[in-house]
Every structure is written in structure tokens, then in C-alpha cells.
Amino acid sequence: MTKKELRVIYKEKRNSLSYQQRNKHEDLMLIGFQRLAIHIPDHILTYAAFRDEYDPQLVTDYCNFRNPAMQLYYPVVNGDDVMTAVLVNDYTHFAPNRYGIDEPVDGMPIFPGELEMVIVPLLAFDERGYRVGYGKGYYDRFLHACDPGVMKIGFSFFEACGQIDDTGDHDIKLDYCITPGKIYSFND
């Protein structure tokens, strides 16, 4: 299926989840993340959940517990449609951007090459590790500027679809995707 077709299907699937199902799935995905044999790095890019997408707050709280030196960064999309990563703390003020997504109003940007982990939002993903986002390409462009070894992790309420038909050279594969029932590893 194409990205456009998958966006329609997976938005509908996500919208059909009850509050209780969503909470249970998020708890199971946290357990899956805890099972990964990875080092919790110092510099992690996360995101503010939008509408009914997966909320990475449980995972970032766990990362902070495991590595108190960890610093969190959130994406900011500027007027030129370029995404940057901005350091946040307990005092950072967030406000909705033009898409309605909360992002930091101020904060110190980080050079993308300094990030060690990126929690990547997605609507769907395939068995090869490619993802379907909202279609603007911000994350793929941003990930091209990151160090090639940056760990890219996605979380999905649903298992992988077979294959996304219209992936291209601009698409960046995930390293891992965690669902309520499985941990997918795409490391070759």
C-alpha cells in the first residue's frame, strides 16, 4: 500500500482505540522498551503527542530514571519548514504551532549530530523498518542531518504492515519499532 492509503487506514484504526486500550498498549510498549538491551544515552529527541498518537512520556520518564544526566530535546518547525531540536527542562513553556502540535517556545538548539536517540512519531511502519508519518517529511530531512549511528525508535499501537510501496531514498529506516506485542529490530 502507499503512504497515503496507510495514513487513512491507520488514522482510523488509532481513532477507534478506547482510552483504556491506549493506556494498556502504552504500558506494554514501555515494558517492551525496558527489554531492549540498549544504553540510555544523554541526548534524546522526543516529541509532544498530537491528537491520539502514542505519547512517549512514559518512555522518557523511564530514560530519565535510568540516566539522570539525560537531556531531552523537542522538535521545533520554523517558518522555513525546517525542523530543529531544542533542549527543554521543567521550566520550558510549550505552545501549539501552526499544526496544533505543542513545541517549546524557547530553548537552546542542539546540532543534530549530537543527538544519540530519536523517538520518531509514526502512523504506521512496515516489516523493513520504514515508517509513515503525517506526510510533511520533517523527520526524514532532520534524520539525514543526524549522525548515521543515531538510534531511531518508533512506537506503534499496531503491528507492521507488509511493505510501504512508495518509499524512496529520502526515507530513513527505524532501528527499532515497539508495539504492544512485539519488538521489531531493523538493524542489518
Side-chain angles (χ1 to χ4, degrees):
M1 280 194 231
T2 67
K3 293 176 187 177
K4 184 177 181 179
E5 293 167 327
L6 289 166
R7 276 187 198 100
V8 171
I9 292 167
Y10 281 87
K11 280 181 183 179
E12 186 176 308
K13 285 178 77 163
R14 234 174 37 188
N15 288 339
S16 71
L17 290 174
S18 70
Y19 178 78
Q20 292 80 11
Q21 289 171 312
R22 183 179 312 284
N23 283 341
K24 181 178 179 181
H25 288 343
E26 288 181 353
D27 287 345
L28 290 169
M29 287 187 273
L30 172 62
I31 292 167
F33 181 79
Q34 292 169 336
R35 289 183 179 156
L36 283 179
I38 61 170
H39 165 74
I40 303 300
D42 292 337
H43 302 283
I44 299 174
L45 176 66
T46 187
Y47 61 89
F50 179 60
R51 294 189 185 142
D52 57 358
E53 73 185 344
Y54 171 77
D55 186 349
Q57 183 71 48
L58 289 174
V59 168
T60 57
D61 286 349
Y62 172 76
C63 289
N64 188 41
F65 170 75
R66 288 278 314 278
N67 179 3
M70 176 207 70
Q71 294 183 306
L72 276 183
Y73 300 83
Y74 277 73
V76 173
V77 176
N78 68 25
D80 296 327
D81 283 341
V82 174
M83 188 174 106
T84 59
V86 175
L87 178 65
V88 300
N89 60 38
D90 291 339
Y91 306 104
T92 302
H93 176 70
F94 285 75
N97 65 14
R98 66 179 177 252
Y99 302 113
I101 302 169
D102 285 342
E103 58 183 31
V105 173
D106 52 10
M108 184 175 65
I110 187 174
F111 178 69
E114 295 178 55
L115 290 168
E116 299 163 280
M117 178 190 293
V118 177
I119 300 174
V120 186
L122 56 86
L123 284 163
F125 71 103
D126 72 11
E127 294 174 345
R128 301 172 302 157
Y130 291 104
R131 61 180 265 285
V132 175
Y134 286 96
K136 303 289 185 195
Y138 294 125
Y139 274 86
D140 288 315
R141 286 191 302 275
F142 183 83
L143 289 170
H144 275 287
C146 291
D147 184 275
V150 68
M151 188 182 323
K152 299 163 293 297
I153 300 179
F155 293 85
S156 176
F157 294 118
F158 309 101
E159 301 305 320
C161 62
Q163 181 172 322
I164 301 167
D165 295 333
D166 53 346
T167 56
D169 292 339
H170 61 282
D171 291 302
I172 302 285
K173 281 177 38 173
L174 299 168
D175 294 304
Y176 300 98
C177 193
I178 299 171
T179 69
K182 186 173 179 178
I183 300 170
Y184 293 82
S185 176
F186 305 109
N187 297 319
D188 300 324

